[in-house]
Structure formats: structure tokens, C-alpha cells
Amino acid sequence: MSKVEVSFTPENYHVYENLDNIVVVTDILRATSAICTALHHGAREVIPVSTVEEARFYKSKGYLVGAERNGVQLEEFDFGNSPYSYMNELEDRSVVLTTTNGTKAINMAKNSFQVVVGAFTNFTALANWLSQQERDILILCSGWKGRYNLEDTLFAGALTERLEQMGTVSLTEDSALSAKYLYNLAKDDPYKFLMNSSHRRRLKKLNLKEDIRYCLSMDNTEIIPVLHEGSLVPMNDQVLEELRLAAETAED
Amino acid sequence: MSKVEVSFTPENYHVYENLDNIVVVTDILRATSAICTALHHGAREVIPVSTVEEARFYKSKGYLVGAERNGVQLEEFDFGNSPYSYMNELEDRSVVLTTTNGTKAINMAKNSFQVVVGAFTNFTALANWLSQQERDILILCSGWKGRYNLEDTLFAGALTERLEQMGTVSLTEDSALSAKYLYNLAKDDPYKFLMNSSHRRRLKKLNLKEDIRYCLSMDNTEIIPVLHEGSLVPMNDQVLEELRLAAETAED
């Protein structure tokens, strides 16, 4: 039986870090939801970068670049982090993305056994894959500027509950228990539950209702983005084999 | 209206740190419960130290010293962190305490406007005092070796709910909302709720049932330990006046 833990913010990651873990990074509003959307709509890869400077470098090289800070798109770039902007004209393109929280969390976890991207939009595909791995799982919530947030916790709780139901994990850790309890309070209407949180104010202001509804919708895609040589690519057998070989080489 | 936030672990403290805040440090099992008990039973002060080396130094100077690591008392010292060991022969004594989590959290917050110690055992006295301060409040959970834990979160949720009921704070922060939601799931029987957590295993093993029941009991004391020149002392008008003068001097 595997273990599942939740790091509620990137600030806690180093405590939970284990290089044998699979890390599921989530940033429901909106980075990881957008990444799933981009790959579902044909992008070849999403390159997560932590700084605006790196994003600017890629932009100068001709890449499509999304850049968000404090919930809004930076003007000089092609996209922000709204999933709706990642639905067209991405076929076989490389997309670079930097966001306030999510892309930093992804890069933070890069030395773990595998880094996958989780969202409600790829929920069941991700849970099914995780249930076959027989590895401990860390769900890394991106939070908001180092602070705890409810929407990432809800995702962590939903995934924890599903993995428990599938018999994949035993719930021994307070973080995972707490996330599951919270999800159970919210699951009848996660949208309403979230609107009763601090994001209500922040997100209503940014007119993100449609984005929020999309980011809370389940199972729009089968794609599981996995980190491979610094890029998030759709998981498939070939990518997994290359990751397996790279891990073996690193051990030698 | 004041704001209340919760830092679920010391690892997150720097994100929430604000030198104008009142910080309520809690380590329900068992450091802050034991500190309240010691002062209630007549100790003049409890000096929180972060390392065993500091504790050893004080011991060599003749102080009464409590030292706990991983839930058990270190043999060379007078006490562990069981509240029951702080009920006798403390009249007017100085006690030094180092614990795995709680005393480090207390020292971490020492530069904030005021640091007070919270537990279920001094719950109502603390809430009543906080409600009169008109300052933002950070509840700093000590956690377990940097990890999230349920019992400190329950305390944070209980305090948040009480302050909201008293009209002291408006709940705008996800961390405080989440703690309150969790407390509401637990409050009919916090002991049972906690026994269904990871601590069940850790704490059953250590035969701490009596300690846990005591640490979850409400309002055994009116004492509010407050940090004053490196010592936790019972709050009173004179101490508050000295703290106020010290803060003014620091501003000049």
C-alpha cells in the first residue's frame, strides 16, 4: 500500500521531498488546468519557467509564451493563464509558461522520481495511472504566493479520496486526511464552496467566473502532463520508457 | 475589523510574518498545553529554547528543565512535555523548555508585536483578550517536524470561529476558513476525531491518551502566557505596559 501526503504550499515542499516519490503538482486556478488544456489541444510541450526573464528569452527566440503575475496576463506575451486561451492554433507548437505560483512549484519538484501535472480536468486519467504505480505520492499544492489556498486543497482531497477508494493508498497522514475532509464538505458544489473563500473577492474582480467553472469541470481530457527534460509533455509509453532509462542511468 | 490567518507549519511563517501582528503560537500536543499548565501552577516563567544544547546549559546553571524530542522526555532532564508533570513544586520557579516543535515556533515569532501561547486549556481567556486588541492575528501552528497536523489546526479553527462569533475578525483568508471548517467537523468529539488521525498510531504507542484528553479539555486556566524578554510569563497589566513601552522605544 502506498502513502499519500499533501504539501499545502511550495514553502513546505522540502519537508516532504523524497526523490522516490511521484509528485503531483496542482495549481487549479489556473496554471495546471491551462497546461492540461494546451496539451489536449495539440501543443507538443509546455515548458514551465519560473521567471519573467526566462519567459522573455524564449519569446525572443520565437516561442509562444504565456506569462501571468497576480492573476493577469503580462502584456508583452501571447497568453495569460486562462485555459480558454490555450484551445486554438497550438498544433505541434512549443509553449512556454510562467505563472505566479504553479510553474515555480513544478520546477521545484523536478528532482523527484516523476513530476506529473494534476487538475480536475484530467482527474480520472491521472488517478487511474497513479493507482498502477505502487509508489508514494506527494500532492504539491501551488498555493498563492506561499499561502495556503482552498482550491488546490480541494483537488488534493478529491485525489486522495479517489486513490483511497481504489485501494491504492492508506490514509495515515494528517495532511491527506485534512484535504479529504475538506473536499467532502465541498464536493456537492465546489464552485459555490470556493466562491465563499477569499478568492471570491480576488477572482470576481478579475472576472474569472467562466475560467473557474472550467477549471472545476472534471475529466475533459485523458492527457497526463509529465515533466521530461524540463518540458511537460503528454505521457505515453515512449516517454515513460525514456524516463525509466534516465532514472537507471542516474542511479549507476 | 481585524484579520486572522493561520500558518499551518513553522515553514510557512515567513510568508505570513508581519511585525504588527499578534502571533498566537500553538502546539496542542503538548508544548503550549504544558506551558499554560506550568504557569497556572505557579511557575514564574517558562523559558522556551530551541536546542538541547541550550537546555543543557540552563540545566547546568540549576534551572528546572523540560526537554522532549520525538514525543519522549530526554533522560538527563527534569520533565518531558506532559502537562501532568508541570502541576507540582513549581511555585515561583523558572522552568526551561525545549520541544520538537513548539518552542522553536515560539522563538521564530519573537519579533512580532506580541507572542502569546494558545491551547484549549486557556481558550476563552485568550479569545477574550484577543477580541480587545484590534490587531491582526496570526495563529502559528507548530506542526510536526515541519508537517501539517490536525490537532493544531483544530485549535486554530476553534479560535477563528470564536473570534468570528465575537465580531472581532472577518474571515477573508483561506487558511482561517479551512481551519474553521475542519473544527466544525470535529467539535462534537475532538478526541474521537483526532484518534482517527495519524497521531493515533504515534500517540497510542506513547501511551498518551490521558495527556491528549487533558490537552483537549477547555478552559482550565485564565492564564495567557506572553513572551517578554525571552520568557513566557503570565500576562498582566504590568507586563503589557512594559511590552508597550519596549515597542515604543524600538520605534524611536
Coordinates of all heavy atoms in Angstrom, one line a residue, chain A residues 5 16 171-175 177-178 181, chain B residues 8 27-30 68 70-71 81 100-101 141-154 182 190-209 212 216:
Chain A
E5 N 0.7 12.0 0.7 CA 0.8 13.2 1.6 C 0.5 14.4 0.7 O 0.6 14.4 -0.5 CB 2.2 13.4 2.2 CG 2.5 12.3 3.3 CD 3.7 12.7 4.1 OE1 4.8 12.5 3.7 OE2 3.5 13.3 5.2
Y16 N 8.7 17.5 2.8 CA 8.0 16.2 2.2 C 8.9 15.6 1.1 O 8.6 14.5 0.7 CB 6.6 16.6 1.7 CG 5.6 17.0 2.7 CD1 5.4 18.4 3.0 CD2 4.9 16.1 3.4 CE1 4.5 18.8 3.9 CE2 4.0 16.5 4.4 CZ 3.8 17.8 4.6 OH 2.8 18.2 5.5
L171 N -4.7 6.0 4.2 CA -4.7 7.4 4.7 C -4.1 7.4 6.1 O -4.9 7.3 7.1 CB -6.1 8.0 4.6 CG -6.2 9.0 3.5 CD1 -5.9 8.3 2.2 CD2 -7.5 9.7 3.5
T172 N -2.8 7.7 6.2 CA -2.2 7.7 7.5 C -1.7 9.1 7.8 O -1.2 9.4 9.0 CB -0.9 6.8 7.6 OG1 0.0 7.2 6.5 CG2 -1.4 5.3 7.3
E173 N -1.7 10.0 6.9 CA -1.1 11.3 7.1 C -2.1 12.4 7.3 O -3.1 12.5 6.6 CB -0.2 11.7 5.8 CG 0.8 10.6 5.5 CD 1.8 10.4 6.7 OE1 2.2 11.3 7.4 OE2 2.0 9.2 7.0
D174 N -1.9 13.3 8.3 CA -2.8 14.3 8.6 C -3.1 15.2 7.4 O -4.3 15.7 7.3 CB -2.3 15.2 9.8 CG -2.4 14.5 11.1 OD1 -2.7 13.3 11.2 OD2 -2.3 15.2 12.1
S175 N -2.1 15.5 6.6 CA -2.3 16.5 5.5 C -3.4 15.9 4.5 O -4.3 16.6 4.1 CB -1.0 16.8 4.8 OG -0.4 15.6 4.3
L177 N -5.6 13.5 5.2 CA -6.9 13.4 5.8 C -7.6 14.7 5.8 O -8.8 14.8 5.5 CB -6.7 12.9 7.3 CG -6.5 11.5 7.6 CD1 -5.9 11.3 9.0 CD2 -7.8 10.7 7.5
S178 N -6.9 15.7 6.1 CA -7.5 17.1 6.2 C -8.0 17.5 4.8 O -9.1 18.0 4.7 CB -6.5 18.1 6.7 OG -7.0 19.4 6.8
Y181 N -11.2 15.6 4.1 CA -12.3 16.1 4.9 C -12.9 17.4 4.2 O -14.1 17.5 4.1 CB -11.9 16.4 6.3 CG -11.6 15.2 7.2 CD1 -10.5 15.3 8.1 CD2 -12.4 14.1 7.2 CE1 -10.2 14.2 8.9 CE2 -12.1 13.0 8.0 CZ -11.0 13.1 8.9 OH -10.7 12.0 9.7
Chain B
F8 N 0.0 27.0 8.9 CA -0.2 25.6 9.4 C 1.1 24.9 9.8 O 1.1 23.9 10.5 CB -0.9 24.8 8.3 CG -2.3 25.1 8.1 CD1 -2.7 25.7 6.9 CD2 -3.2 25.0 9.1 CE1 -4.1 26.0 6.7 CE2 -4.6 25.3 9.0 CZ -5.0 25.9 7.7
D27 N 0.8 24.5 20.1 CA 1.3 23.1 19.9 C 0.6 22.3 20.9 O 1.0 22.0 22.0 CB 2.8 23.1 20.2 CG 3.5 21.8 20.0 OD1 2.8 20.8 19.6 OD2 4.7 21.6 20.2
I28 N -0.6 21.9 20.5 CA -1.6 21.3 21.4 C -1.1 20.1 22.1 O -1.2 19.9 23.3 CB -2.9 21.1 20.6 CG1 -3.6 22.4 20.2 CG2 -3.9 20.2 21.4 CD1 -4.0 23.3 21.3
L29 N -0.4 19.2 21.3 CA 0.2 18.0 21.9 C 1.7 18.1 21.8 O 2.3 17.7 20.9 CB -0.3 16.8 21.1 CG -1.8 16.5 21.0 CD1 -2.1 15.3 20.2 CD2 -2.3 16.3 22.4
R30 N 2.3 18.7 22.8 CA 1.8 19.1 24.1 C 2.4 20.4 24.6 O 2.1 20.8 25.7 CB 2.0 18.0 25.1 CG 1.3 16.7 24.7 CD 1.8 15.5 25.5 NE 3.1 15.0 25.0 CZ 3.8 14.1 25.6 NH1 3.4 13.5 26.8 NH2 5.0 13.7 25.1
E68 N 11.9 17.5 25.4 CA 11.2 16.4 24.7 C 11.7 16.4 23.2 O 11.9 17.5 22.6 CB 9.7 16.7 24.7 CG 8.9 15.8 23.7 CD 8.7 16.4 22.4 OE1 9.0 17.7 22.2 OE2 8.3 15.7 21.4
N70 N 10.8 13.9 19.7 CA 10.0 12.8 19.2 C 9.0 12.2 20.1 O 8.8 11.0 20.2 CB 11.0 11.7 18.7 CG 11.9 12.2 17.6 OD1 11.5 12.9 16.7 ND2 13.2 11.9 17.7
G71 N 8.5 13.0 21.0 CA 7.4 12.6 21.8 C 7.8 12.0 23.2 O 7.0 11.7 24.0
N81 N 7.3 16.8 28.0 CA 6.3 17.8 27.8 C 4.9 17.4 28.2 O 3.9 18.0 27.7 CB 6.3 18.3 26.3 CG 6.0 17.2 25.3 OD1 5.7 16.1 25.7 ND2 5.9 17.6 24.1
T100 N 10.2 19.3 20.4 CA 10.5 19.1 19.0 C 10.0 20.2 18.1 O 10.6 20.6 17.1 CB 9.8 17.8 18.5 OG1 10.1 16.7 19.5 CG2 10.2 17.3 17.2
N101 N 8.8 20.8 18.4 CA 8.2 21.7 17.5 C 7.8 23.0 18.2 O 8.1 24.1 17.6 CB 6.9 21.1 17.0 CG 7.1 19.7 16.3 OD1 7.8 19.6 15.3 ND2 6.6 18.7 17.0
C141 N 0.7 27.4 13.9 CA 0.7 26.0 14.3 C 2.1 25.5 14.3 O 2.9 25.7 13.3 CB -0.2 25.2 13.4 SG -1.9 25.7 13.3
S142 N 2.4 24.7 15.3 CA 3.8 24.2 15.4 C 4.0 23.0 14.5 O 5.1 22.7 14.1 CB 4.1 23.8 16.8 OG 4.1 25.0 17.6
G143 N 2.9 22.3 14.2 CA 3.0 21.1 13.3 C 3.9 20.0 13.9 O 4.1 20.0 15.1
W144 N 4.3 19.1 13.0 CA 5.2 18.0 13.5 C 6.4 17.9 12.5 O 6.2 17.5 11.4 CB 4.4 16.7 13.5 CG 5.3 15.6 14.0 CD1 5.9 14.6 13.2 CD2 5.7 15.3 15.3 NE1 6.6 13.8 13.9 CE2 6.5 14.1 15.2 CE3 5.4 15.9 16.6 CZ2 7.1 13.6 16.4 CZ3 6.0 15.3 17.7 CH2 6.8 14.2 17.6
K145 N 7.5 18.4 13.0 CA 8.7 18.4 12.1 C 8.5 19.1 10.7 O 8.8 18.5 9.7 CB 9.2 17.0 12.0 CG 9.7 16.4 13.3 CD 10.3 15.1 13.1 CE 10.8 14.5 14.4 NZ 11.4 13.2 14.3
G146 N 7.8 20.2 10.8 CA 7.6 20.9 9.5 C 6.3 20.4 8.8 O 5.9 21.1 7.8
R147 N 5.7 19.3 9.2 CA 4.5 18.8 8.6 C 3.3 19.4 9.3 O 3.2 19.7 10.5 CB 4.5 17.3 8.7 CG 5.4 16.6 7.6 CD 5.4 15.2 7.9 NE 5.7 14.3 6.7 CZ 6.9 14.2 6.2 NH1 8.0 14.8 6.7 NH2 7.0 13.4 5.1
Y148 N 2.2 19.4 8.5 CA 0.9 19.8 8.9 C 0.4 18.8 9.9 O 0.6 17.6 9.8 CB 0.0 19.8 7.7 CG -1.5 20.0 7.9 CD1 -2.0 21.3 7.7 CD2 -2.3 19.0 8.3 CE1 -3.4 21.5 7.9 CE2 -3.7 19.2 8.4 CZ -4.2 20.5 8.3 OH -5.5 20.7 8.4
N149 N -0.3 19.3 11.0 CA -1.0 18.3 11.8 C -2.4 18.8 12.2 O -2.8 20.0 12.1 CB -0.2 17.9 13.1 CG -0.3 18.9 14.2 OD1 -1.2 19.7 14.3 ND2 0.8 18.9 15.0
L150 N -3.3 17.8 12.5 CA -4.7 18.1 12.7 C -5.0 18.8 14.0 O -5.8 19.7 14.1 CB -5.5 16.8 12.7 CG -5.7 16.2 11.3 CD1 -6.3 14.8 11.4 CD2 -6.6 17.1 10.4
E151 N -4.3 18.4 15.1 CA -4.7 19.0 16.4 C -4.4 20.5 16.5 O -5.2 21.2 17.1 CB -4.0 18.2 17.6 CG -2.5 18.3 17.7 CD -1.8 17.3 16.9 OE1 -2.4 16.7 16.0 OE2 -0.5 17.1 17.1
D152 N -3.3 20.9 15.9 CA -3.0 22.4 16.0 C -4.0 23.1 15.1 O -4.5 24.2 15.4 CB -1.6 22.7 15.5 CG -0.6 22.2 16.5 OD1 -0.9 21.8 17.6 OD2 0.6 22.1 16.1
T153 N -4.4 22.5 14.0 CA -5.4 23.1 13.0 C -6.8 23.2 13.7 O -7.5 24.2 13.6 CB -5.5 22.2 11.8 OG1 -4.2 22.1 11.2 CG2 -6.4 22.9 10.8
L154 N -7.1 22.1 14.5 CA -8.4 22.2 15.2 C -8.4 23.4 16.2 O -9.4 24.1 16.3 CB -8.6 20.9 16.0 CG -8.9 19.7 15.2 CD1 -9.4 18.5 16.1 CD2 -10.0 19.9 14.1
L182 N -12.7 22.6 9.4 CA -12.2 21.3 10.0 C -12.7 21.2 11.4 O -13.2 20.2 11.9 CB -10.7 21.3 9.9 CG -10.1 19.9 10.1 CD1 -10.3 19.0 8.9 CD2 -8.7 19.9 10.6
P190 N -13.8 16.1 19.6 CA -12.4 16.3 19.1 C -11.5 15.1 19.4 O -10.6 14.7 18.6 CB -11.9 17.5 19.8 CG -13.2 18.2 20.2 CD -14.2 17.2 20.5
Y191 N -11.7 14.4 20.5 CA -10.8 13.3 20.9 C -11.0 12.2 19.9 O -10.0 11.6 19.3 CB -11.2 12.8 22.3 CG -10.3 11.7 22.8 CD1 -9.0 11.9 23.3 CD2 -10.8 10.3 22.6 CE1 -8.3 10.8 23.7 CE2 -10.0 9.3 23.1 CZ -8.7 9.5 23.6 OH -8.0 8.5 24.0
K192 N -12.2 11.8 19.6 CA -12.5 10.8 18.6 C -12.0 11.2 17.2 O -11.4 10.4 16.5 CB -14.0 10.5 18.6 CG -14.4 9.3 17.8 CD -15.9 9.1 17.9 CE -16.5 8.2 16.8 NZ -17.9 8.3 16.7
F193 N -12.2 12.4 16.9 CA -11.7 12.9 15.6 C -10.2 12.8 15.5 O -9.7 12.3 14.5 CB -12.1 14.4 15.4 CG -11.8 15.0 14.1 CD1 -12.7 14.9 13.0 CD2 -10.6 15.6 13.8 CE1 -12.5 15.4 11.8 CE2 -10.3 16.2 12.6 CZ -11.3 16.1 11.6
L194 N -9.5 13.1 16.5 CA -8.0 13.1 16.5 C -7.5 11.6 16.5 O -6.6 11.3 15.8 CB -7.4 13.8 17.7 CG -7.2 15.3 17.5 CD1 -6.4 15.7 18.7 CD2 -6.4 15.5 16.2
M195 N -8.2 10.8 17.2 CA -7.8 9.4 17.2 C -7.9 8.7 15.9 O -7.3 7.7 15.6 CB -8.6 8.6 18.3 CG -8.2 8.9 19.7 SD -6.5 8.4 19.9 CE -5.9 9.7 21.0
N196 N -8.7 9.4 15.0 CA -8.8 8.9 13.6 C -7.7 9.6 12.7 O -7.9 9.6 11.5 CB -10.2 9.2 13.1 CG -10.5 8.4 11.8 OD1 -9.9 7.4 11.6 ND2 -11.3 9.0 11.0
S197 N -6.7 10.1 13.3 CA -5.6 10.7 12.5 C -4.3 10.0 12.7 O -4.2 9.0 13.4 CB -5.5 12.2 13.0 OG -4.6 12.2 14.1
S198 N -3.3 10.4 12.0 CA -2.1 9.7 12.0 C -1.5 9.7 13.4 O -0.7 8.8 13.8 CB -1.1 10.4 11.1 OG -0.7 11.7 11.6
H199 N -1.9 10.6 14.2 CA -1.4 10.6 15.6 C -1.8 9.5 16.4 O -1.3 9.1 17.4 CB -1.8 11.9 16.3 CG -0.9 13.1 15.9 ND1 -1.2 13.9 14.9 CD2 0.4 13.4 16.3 CE1 -0.3 14.8 14.7 NE2 0.7 14.5 15.6
R200 N -3.0 8.9 16.0 CA -3.5 7.7 16.6 C -2.3 6.7 16.8 O -2.1 6.3 17.9 CB -4.6 7.1 15.8 CG -5.2 5.9 16.4 CD -6.3 5.4 15.5 NE -5.9 5.4 14.1 CZ -6.7 5.0 13.1 NH1 -8.0 4.6 13.4 NH2 -6.4 5.1 11.9
R201 N -1.7 6.4 15.8 CA -0.6 5.4 15.8 C 0.6 6.0 16.7 O 1.0 5.3 17.6 CB -0.1 5.1 14.5 CG -0.9 4.0 13.8 CD -0.7 4.1 12.3 NE -1.3 5.3 11.7 CZ -2.6 5.5 11.5 NH1 -3.5 4.5 11.8 NH2 -3.0 6.6 11.0
R202 N 1.0 7.2 16.4 CA 2.2 7.7 17.1 C 1.9 7.9 18.6 O 2.7 7.5 19.4 CB 2.6 9.1 16.5 CG 3.7 9.8 17.2 CD 4.3 10.9 16.4 NE 3.4 11.9 15.9 CZ 3.0 13.0 16.6 NH1 3.5 13.2 17.8 NH2 2.2 13.9 16.1
L203 N 0.7 8.3 18.9 CA 0.4 8.7 20.3 C -0.1 7.5 21.1 O 0.2 7.4 22.3 CB -0.6 9.8 20.3 CG -0.1 11.1 19.7 CD1 -1.2 12.2 19.6 CD2 1.1 11.6 20.5
K204 N -0.8 6.6 20.5 CA -1.2 5.4 21.2 C 0.0 4.6 21.7 O 0.1 4.2 22.8 CB -2.0 4.5 20.3 CG -3.5 4.7 20.5 CD -4.3 3.6 19.8 CE -5.8 3.9 19.8 NZ -6.6 3.1 18.8
K205 N 1.0 4.6 20.8 CA 2.3 4.0 21.1 C 2.9 4.5 22.3 O 3.5 3.8 23.1 CB 3.2 4.1 19.8 CG 4.1 3.0 19.6 CD 4.7 3.1 18.2 CE 5.1 4.5 17.7 NZ 5.5 4.5 16.3
L206 N 2.8 5.8 22.4 CA 3.5 6.5 23.5 C 2.6 6.5 24.8 O 2.9 7.1 25.8 CB 3.9 7.9 23.1 CG 4.9 8.0 22.0 CD1 5.0 9.4 21.5 CD2 6.3 7.5 22.5
N207 N 1.4 5.9 24.7 CA 0.5 5.8 25.8 C 0.1 7.2 26.4 O 0.3 7.5 27.5 CB 1.2 5.0 26.9 CG 0.1 4.4 27.9 OD1 -1.1 4.4 27.6 ND2 0.6 4.1 29.1
L208 N -0.3 8.0 25.4 CA -0.6 9.4 25.8 C -2.0 9.8 25.9 O -2.4 10.9 25.9 CB 0.1 10.3 24.8 CG 1.6 10.2 24.7 CD1 2.2 11.2 23.6 CD2 2.3 10.5 26.0
K209 N -2.9 8.8 26.0 CA -4.3 9.0 26.0 C -4.7 10.1 27.0 O -5.5 10.9 26.8 CB -5.1 7.7 26.2 CG -5.2 6.9 25.0 CD -6.2 5.7 25.2 CE -6.3 4.9 24.0 NZ -7.3 3.8 24.2
I212 N -3.7 13.5 26.0 CA -4.5 14.0 24.9 C -5.8 14.5 25.5 O -6.3 15.6 25.1 CB -4.7 13.0 23.8 CG1 -3.4 12.6 23.2 CG2 -5.6 13.5 22.7 CD1 -3.4 11.4 22.2
L216 N -7.1 18.5 25.3 CA -8.3 18.9 24.6 C -9.4 19.4 25.5 O -10.4 19.9 25.1 CB -8.9 17.7 23.8 CG -8.0 17.1 22.7 CD1 -8.6 15.9 22.1 CD2 -7.7 18.2 21.6

